[in-house]
Amino acid sequence: MSLKKDFMWGVASASYQVEGAYNEDGKGLNIWDYYCQENQAIAHYENGNVACDHYHRFKEDVANMKKIGAKYYRFSISWARILPNGIGEVNQKGIDFYNSLIDELIANDIEPLITIFHWDYPMELYKLGGWLNPNSSDWFAEYTKVLVDNFSDRVKYWITLNEPQVFIGLGHATGSFAPFRKCSAKELAEMSHNVLLSHGKAVKILRQYAKQNVKIGLAPIGPSYNPASDDQKLIEIAREKTFDLDKDRFTLSLSWWSDPVFLGDYPKKAYEVLGNDMPTIHDGDMELISQPLDFYGVNIYQAEGIVYQDSIQEYHMPCDIYTTGQPLTQMGWPINDDCLYWSCKFLYDRYKLPILITENGTACHDRIFLDGKVHDPNRIDFLTRYLRSLKKASESGIDIIGYMYWSVMDNFEWADGYDKRFGLIYVDYQTQERTIKDSGYWYKSVIESNGENL
């Protein structure tokens, strides 16, 4: 068998992108709630106020997950739905919603996988400085404890943070995502350190207070540089580039976030290029940040670049593609399926932990056809290529434990609004009607065969 018999086949979503009900039942505002209302950075001035109305339609959505054969559902908790002010008073109606969702999943033989934070930072805490506030990691710890107390009896798998490269790098460095700020290198470094301390404290709380033996990971973006061939020289150049960083883009790098967690310190090069802009590191910080984890969760959509014999073609995030005729997804991202193999290889070689693909998928120009169905052969072809690359990684001895397709349904794609459709399930945003796409039924066949039909 090329994939483990207990391989974790699942689907994923994030609270702000699907839930809606942004001001119902005691929920507080988060930075996306606040900045989407009148922000010209969002396509068509759209927002997540209603999104997919998952808050009210979760039973229908879980039933559709069961129809496409999902064994796991990775979803995130809305911090401000649980703690309207970010700390302090707990909103019981928020607890009730997630309890109902978890129970519905379990009743349908779908295992819940919780992401504690997926970008929707409470607005009341942001007013106090957000991640730049030295107390921010304590706020995160308090929030985590509420989740552990209420959900850990039924939830075994936990991810602390989703894509810190994005919510810090794009949210506070490039200014392209909420809260749309452009901060100094010193501020970004201090924020990063507080984010990492938040991760470490959350892990400690999970280990100490969880009501069962939980499995914990982190989910950064993990794009690799791919060698253009199996030439060993190109492979080593690609490996070095994958974990490299520079001062202008350090918050978008892989090693900046992963080395402290998995190796116990920031990359050596970070000290060289940042110098006095490095964060303040107190005694015990790195030990706290590098709490032992059970798996390396990683979101992979594309390569960061391709290494050729005489050149390197780079696809920076946000992606700037100049190659004539380069196959692209609806997001404008290059299609290079080898990235799943090379990312997993480089990550496993460096960090030595089982790998869970926490996100992978593609946005396509989907629509309802005249026959009432959604035919998306381009997504099926994309997934066949990428999953074959993942199987290759598994067959080479890399410990791959699972795959969560992004996303279970079309949803609010952040600054791109609702134009970009990633889902296995089509959502008509005017009627909220759901339609399982061809790719959803195809994915079911892949799960049933444990990938042997790829």
Side-chain angles (χ1 to χ4, degrees):
M1 296 289 289
S2 56
L3 295 174
K4 293 182 172 185
K5 291 182 179 179
D6 58 351
F7 193 79
M8 298 167 62
W9 291 103
V11 291
S13 77
S15 53
Y16 187 73
Q17 292 180 269
V18 298
E19 285 181 6
Y22 84 107
N23 62 353
E24 293 184 35
D25 292 340
K27 177 184 169 297
L29 295 182
N30 61 60
I31 56 173
W32 283 91
D33 289 321
Y34 183 84
Y35 285 105
C36 279
Q37 301 309 315
E38 297 180 359
N39 197 300
Q40 297 182 21
I42 309 299
H44 317 302
Y45 304 98
E46 292 173 338
N47 56 56
N49 291 3
V50 177
C52 305
D53 199 25
H54 182 62
Y55 186 79
H56 298 110
R57 298 171 180 264
F58 71 89
K59 290 188 177 182
E60 176 186 359
D61 292 332
V62 171
N64 280 329
M65 292 178 214
K66 188 179 181 76
K67 287 179 183 177
I68 63 176
K71 303 300 183 186
Y72 291 80
Y73 178 41
R74 179 196 171 206
F75 62 95
S76 72
I77 304 292
S78 169
W79 188 341
R81 196 179 295 284
I82 298 293
L83 294 160
N85 296 310
I87 53 176
E89 184 179 356
V90 175
N91 177 28
Q92 186 58 45
K93 289 185 178 180
I95 298 292
D96 293 344
F97 166 69
Y98 291 109
N99 272 330
S100 297
L101 173 59
I102 290 167
D103 289 344
E104 188 72 12
L105 289 166
I106 293 171
N108 284 273
D109 299 316
I110 301 171
E111 185 155 356
L113 194 164
I114 283 180
T115 303
I116 297 175
F117 180 73
H118 196 134
W119 307 0
D120 46 355
Y121 199 83
M123 192 62 200
E124 293 304 311
L125 295 184
Y126 179 68
K127 292 176 183 177
L128 299 178
W131 294 113
L132 197 55
N133 190 309
N135 296 319
S136 57
S137 62
D138 290 331
W139 300 338
F140 194 81
E142 178 180 335
Y143 163 52
T144 300
K145 180 63 163 53
V146 175
L147 303 191
V148 172
D149 287 346
N150 284 279
F151 309 135
S152 66
D153 58 328
R154 288 152 294 154
V155 179
K156 179 179 180 180
Y157 288 92
W158 295 76
I159 292 168
T160 55
L161 303 158
N162 183 79
E163 295 184 356
Q165 291 103 321
V166 175
F167 68 79
I168 295 298
L170 299 192
H172 297 81
T174 69
S176 52
F177 276 14
F180 303 100
R181 293 186 62 195
K182 294 184 178 181
C183 299
S184 68
K186 180 64 175 177
E187 288 174 320
L188 293 169
E190 294 293 350
M191 287 182 198
S192 299
H193 196 66
N194 288 333
V195 167
L196 290 168
L197 287 171
S198 299
H199 160 80
K201 291 179 181 181
V203 174
K204 286 197 72 172
I205 286 170
L206 279 159
R207 297 290 187 210
Q208 183 175 354
Y209 295 106
K211 298 174 183 179
Q212 61 175 306
N213 181 24
V214 293
K215 302 292 185 183
I216 310 170
L218 177 72
I221 299 173
S224 65
Y225 280 78
N226 292 358
S229 73
D230 288 334
D231 182 290
Q232 193 60 40
K233 179 181 177 182
L234 297 189
I235 292 173
E236 293 312 313
I237 293 173
R239 186 195 306 273
E240 181 179 353
K241 287 288 293 181
T242 294
F243 298 106
D244 197 13
L245 59 79
D246 60 60
K247 185 169 184 177
D248 291 338
R249 296 174 55 83
F250 74 94
T251 55
L252 297 173
S253 73
L254 178 57
S255 58
W256 173 254
W257 298 102
S258 294
D259 278 17
V261 172
F262 299 99
L263 302 181
D265 199 2
Y266 289 100
K268 181 180 179 181
K269 190 171 181 181
Y271 291 92
E272 298 171 1
V273 300
L274 289 175
N276 291 334
D277 287 331
M278 281 292 289
T280 303
I281 303 173
H282 298 287
D283 289 344
D285 279 3
M286 301 317 298
E287 291 78 8
L288 176 60
I289 289 169
S290 59
Q291 297 290 306
L293 296 180
D294 301 291
F295 60 89
Y296 189 110
V298 61
N299 301 346
I300 305 171
Y301 291 93
Q302 64 184 51
E304 186 74 359
I306 309 296
V307 178
Y308 297 93
Q309 287 288 351
D310 56 356
S311 65
I312 298 176
Q313 180 182 17
E314 301 198 61
Y315 308 131
H316 280 317
M317 184 183 72
C319 302
D320 296 315
I321 310 299
Y322 298 102
T323 305
T324 301
Q326 167 76 52
L328 305 175
T329 70
Q330 190 195 13
M331 292 293 291
W333 297 346
I335 298 173
N336 32 46
D337 43 281
D338 281 351
C339 70
L340 273 188
Y341 171 77
W342 289 110
S343 289
C344 289
K345 175 174 175 53
F346 292 153
L347 291 170
Y348 192 64
D349 287 350
R350 187 178 183 93
Y351 301 122
K352 319 264 186 230
L353 273 182
I355 292 175
L356 174 63
I357 304 299
T358 40
E359 288 184 27
N360 172 252
T362 182
C364 300
H365 293 280
D366 300 323
R367 68 185 191 277
I368 302 286
F369 280 66
L370 290 173
D371 60 4
K373 300 178 181 179
V374 180
H375 304 297
D376 54 343
N378 41 356
R379 180 174 288 107
I380 293 172
D381 181 80
F382 176 99
L383 289 176
T384 300
R385 294 171 183 269
Y386 277 67
L387 287 172
R388 284 177 178 175
S389 180
L390 190 65
K391 282 181 68 175
K392 177 183 175 183
S394 181
E395 289 164 354
S396 72
I398 299 169
D399 190 1
I400 312 291
I401 62 173
Y403 176 90
M404 304 292 125
Y405 177 80
W406 183 272
S407 58
V408 61
M409 69 186 99
D410 299 334
N411 55 49
F412 179 76
E413 187 49 44
W414 306 110
D416 287 299
Y418 292 96
D419 285 344
K420 308 299 193 293
R421 294 182 177 271
F422 276 90
L424 296 173
I425 300 167
Y426 183 91
V427 178
D428 182 327
Y429 297 113
Q430 309 308 313
T431 65
Q432 290 295 339
E433 183 178 355
R434 275 80 157 133
T435 303
I436 297 176
K437 303 176 187 179
D438 287 355
S439 58
Y441 294 112
W442 173 87
Y443 190 49
K444 179 180 181 180
S445 72
V446 172
I447 294 172
E448 289 174 343
S449 73
N450 199 39
E452 291 303 305
N453 64 343
L454 292 167

